[in-house]
Amino acid sequence: MSTIDKIKQIILNKLYLGKTMKEDLSNKPKISLFEGWKKKNVAKRMLKISKFDIEKSRKGNIDINIKTNINLIKSIGLKNFTYLDVGCGVGSYAELFKILLPKYKIEYMGVDYSKEAISFANRKFKYDNSKFRTADMQKLPFKNKTFDVSCSSSVLPYALNYSKAILELSRVTKKYVLITRISVTDGKEIYQKQKAYGSEWVCTLFNESKLKKRFREYGLKIIKEITIKKVDFERTEKSYLLKVIK
């Protein structure tokens, strides 16, 4: 990253990402804390950061998490497919696909439970091959096996009931599911209170064995498992490519 871009990133993070915080909770959090992403102006702040990610991608300076998702999609071997982005936020992947996968024909559908986020997505990133709508990942408004590929990128940990979310991803998908940028532990499942974008919410750090059991129960077979980074001796950030087998 150039010096100018590094400075710009620092300024954007200070202005829009804002003060960040992570705190492990000893008790199960209130349901209201799972709604933090819906708070007013969160999506507006996210849009500023997302636009800079797009700008950097055009220069070839691709964020590690975006790069991981793109490489997983390339590894599938499909170049013409329907794609569901669950928890799409402001919809920036509709633009990123045009930049990073220009020879691919992708019919893109983005859903998010934040009406504000979907409003920005429809204004900023709606193209002939992209659509957006408000929806909850625990109850997706699509028929069985509607999409060739579905993705939950850094979103599954914020679901109130992540088992329902995994089941829904499996249900609406024909071929492959990407579940990326999630934290897993070797020990117990952890609820973590987080703060960013001027709001706060709860993130689940999954017990990896339990998570993989859910994958198997819902007809998903792990094809690729990528370690993004080791957070500490017990926690690891990972991404998974899963094949729908039933």
Side-chain angles (χ1 to χ4, degrees), residues 24-34 159-162 189-192 202 204 210:
D24 291 354
L25 301 176
S26 55
N27 298 311
K28 190 169 183 177
K30 295 179 180 178
I31 292 176
S32 59
L33 267 178
F34 288 90
L160 178 61
N161 187 326
Y162 70 83
E189 193 167 273
I190 299 168
Y191 289 111
Q192 188 177 78
V202 169
T204 303
K210 181 180 176 182

Side-chain angles (χ1 to χ4, degrees), residues 106-144:
I106 303 173
E107 290 297 320
Y108 175 98
M109 168 63 76
V111 300
D112 200 282
Y113 78 163
S114 166
K115 292 180 180 179
E116 182 184 43
I118 292 301
S119 177
F120 279 119
N122 276 314
R123 279 184 277 164
K124 302 294 183 180
F125 301 116
K126 190 171 183 180
Y127 303 108
D128 290 342
N129 67 329
S130 63
K131 296 178 182 178
F132 300 96
R133 64 181 295 179
T134 306
D136 189 326
M137 70 184 303
Q138 297 161 124
K139 193 176 181 181
L140 294 170
F142 305 109
K143 294 181 180 179
N144 294 351

Side-chain angles (χ1 to χ4, degrees), residues 138-155:
Q138 297 161 124
K139 193 176 181 181
L140 294 170
F142 305 109
K143 294 181 180 179
N144 294 351
K145 300 189 181 302
T146 299
F147 302 94
D148 295 314
V149 182
S150 294
C151 178
S152 165
S153 182
S154 190
V155 174

Side-chain angles (χ1 to χ4, degrees), residues 223-238:
I223 304 300
K224 284 193 175 183
E225 180 178 325
I226 297 173
T227 296
I228 300 172
K229 66 180 179 180
K230 189 76 175 175
V231 179
D232 57 33
F233 72 94
E234 188 182 31
R235 308 173 192 192
T236 308
E237 194 170 294
K238 289 190 174 184

Side-chain angles (χ1 to χ4, degrees), residues 7-71:
I7 294 171
K8 190 172 181 179
Q9 184 80 71
I10 291 169
I11 293 171
L12 284 171
N13 286 347
K14 186 174 182 179
L15 289 175
Y16 301 109
L17 184 62
K19 184 179 180 181
T20 61
M21 173 273 287
K22 294 182 180 180
E23 174 192 352
D24 291 354
L25 301 176
S26 55
N27 298 311
K28 190 169 183 177
K30 295 179 180 178
I31 292 176
S32 59
L33 267 178
F34 288 90
E35 302 289 308
W37 291 96
K38 292 181 179 180
K39 185 177 177 181
K40 187 177 180 181
N41 290 327
V42 168
K44 187 176 182 179
R45 289 171 174 243
M46 288 174 61
L47 181 63
K48 297 290 185 179
I49 303 292
S50 294
K51 282 184 173 181
F52 188 52
D53 283 337
I54 291 169
E55 181 184 326
K56 289 188 295 181
S57 295
R58 285 199 175 98
K59 299 175 183 177
N61 179 25
I62 307 166
D63 175 83
I64 182 62
N65 297 300
I66 294 172
K67 186 180 291 187
T68 298
N69 287 351
I70 294 298
N71 287 340

